[in-house]
Each structure stands twice: as C-alpha cells, then as structure tokens.
Amino acid sequence: VYDSSDGGITGSAAEALEIVSDGVYHLTAEHSRMNLDVPGGAATAGAGLQQWTPNGSVAQQFIMRAMPNGRWK
C-alpha cells in the first residue's frame, strides 16, 4: 500500500485489510504475513513504517477513510 500523489491510498492484491473496528484496520502483506507497523507507536507526522509480526498493538492500527474518487485516505 502506498500513498498516491493526491493523498489517497491505493493498493493491490499484495495487501490484505482486516477490520479492527469501524474505520480502523490492520494492513497485512500477503507475502510475509506481517502487519504494517509504526516503530515505537509514534503518532507524529512523518513517522516511519515497517513490517512487523502481528501483535494487536495500536502501532498496527490505521484509520482509513473512503474518498469520493474511490480511493482511501
């Protein structure tokens, strides 16, 4: 999953979304079965991302919002 030039998020069959709660998701890479993760759970803009073993932490929860153009943000 990557951030597109207009701020929306696009993806492919290489990622899987798991609903945690309304609008909150885990993103899992199918090839590694690891979740997208924010190291140290940082909540600051520009924080890095990594793949990490699924652990249910908030560092692996992402809010996704549908945009009118069919993309996600």
Side-chain angles (χ1 to χ4, degrees):
V1 173
Y2 58 91
D3 194 9
S4 70
S5 60
D6 66 358
I9 295 176
T10 60
S12 69
E15 296 86 33
L17 295 175
E18 174 189 352
I19 299 172
V20 176
S21 64
D22 187 32
V24 179
Y25 298 86
H26 288 152
L27 288 82
T28 304
E30 290 185 0
H31 73 283
S32 66
R33 297 314 229 180
M34 298 181 104
N35 283 356
L36 188 63
D37 181 280
V38 180
T44 56
L49 298 174
Q50 64 187 3
Q51 289 187 36
W52 201 259
T53 303
N55 59 30
S57 73
V58 295
Q60 297 182 351
Q61 296 179 7
F62 296 87
I63 297 170
M64 309 266 298
R65 305 263 188 256
M67 296 172 47
N69 65 2
R71 293 185 178 206
W72 293 83
K73 185 172 184 174

